[in-house]
Amino acid sequence: MVEAQDVWSNSVSPDDNRWMSAAISASWRAIGRSGANPPVGCVLISQDGQLLAVGHTGRGGVPHAEVSALQSLCDVGRSALQGGTAYVTLEPCSHHGKTSPCSDALISAGIARLVVAVKDPDRRVNGAGLHRIAAAKIKIRLGVMQSEAEESLLGFMNRLQEGKPYCSLKIATSMDGRVGLSDRKKRWLTGAPMRHYVHLLRSKNDAIVTGVGTVLSDDPRLDCRNEGITRDSPPIYVFDRLLRTPTTAKLFKSQHKVTFFCGDTATKQRRDELIAAGATVVPLPDDAAGKPDVSAGMRYLGTKGVNHALIEAGPSLVTSILAANAVDRIYWTQSNHILGSNALAAVDNLGTELANKMAILPQKEYFQTDHRVIGDDRLVILTKSRLNGEETGA
């Protein structure tokens, strides 16, 4: 039997980076829309170097990127692909799930060369796709633009390796770091362009996480209201220890079931009322502070196939999530308002040890990886450092 290493190729085509870059760009269109499946991009090139098709993972994971690209070919395109090259951001699957193996589809298509950015760590694949394609004597080149492709696969990889989604925290504050006045009445801090950006950000996540404090004070919808992406509004998860959320909350207008994380002290009556309203109620163990355990909640999201989670919450839950070391990226938006020290701070008391770890000591927990001006407001993106202390890209 032919082994994968027997057909691995170190030969570099001058267009490998060009076409893999196109595949990576396609993969970004699937983030937040591919369900538990990885957001993958695929580009098909003819033997003489002509672009034939581009595909990405479909909504809910179907079709896979390779199948999407192959299905878009006409008869002439299928003929031209004979002896051509497939560029895929993640190793083609080799198992039967919702679809047949993509490795088989590429073999049947008659490609002569496969270029892959990242080997799939999923135990159902993990080299088996490459092995199957190698057995068909198709040349394989692995690792092209790997770091760039891994950025679009962060959520999927994080869930497989850590058992939790890649968690992004969105905070909107005034210039002096306040999220609202002490009366807790809802007011917009940032302008319409920034809110438009946040709705787009929501569409690129598989879940929105919030707390009961935000629900009671703001009664938010937490959906995507930009034209063209309303279908991409993700499911909503609420940390609500006592299940105080009223069944009249706007969250219940979501296109998905709302899930509540509660503590053991939540009454059966409140559980039954929320379930009758269409919600799912998930009891969590309490943490040391007597609140539903954040880490347990994130692990639950992992079991539900959530790759990317966006946290939009008030100071209490934000502080708990930071303390649990559950935040991988921070989107900090800032308006031109000054609210004063009696207004609500974005983050509660972190304690000296955690504050030192995050901001004061040389080994910072987060690095600025992007910043921009949107309308009259500012956005800073902070990304958790890798284990080796290097910065990650935004």
Side-chain angles (χ1 to χ4, degrees), residues 57-93:
T57 310
R59 187 178 295 275
V62 180
H64 288 189
E66 299 92 329
V67 174
S68 173
L70 289 169
Q71 288 178 343
S72 71
L73 292 171
C74 62
D75 290 341
V76 174
R78 283 190 286 272
S79 177
L81 183 59
Q82 297 289 319
T85 301
Y87 292 84
V88 190
T89 58
L90 185 68
E91 175 186 357
C93 65

Side-chain angles (χ1 to χ4, degrees), residues 90-163:
L90 185 68
E91 175 186 357
C93 65
S94 55
H95 61 284
H96 287 267
K98 293 181 180 179
T99 63
S100 299
C102 292
S103 52
D104 289 352
L106 290 174
I107 292 168
S108 297
I111 64 169
R113 186 168 180 259
L114 173 70
V115 181
V116 176
V118 181
K119 182 181 177 182
D120 192 344
D122 190 321
R123 59 180 176 78
R124 297 170 298 176
V125 187
N126 197 23
L130 296 177
H131 184 96
R132 185 173 296 197
I133 289 172
K137 299 183 179 180
I138 295 170
K139 292 289 184 181
I140 298 171
R141 186 177 178 216
L142 178 64
V144 174
M145 298 188 70
Q146 178 175 335
S147 61
E148 292 87 348
E150 284 176 343
E151 178 66 20
S152 65
L153 293 164
L154 275 176
F156 174 73
M157 307 286 270
N158 199 81
R159 181 171 62 82
L160 288 187
Q161 296 166 0
E162 305 293 333

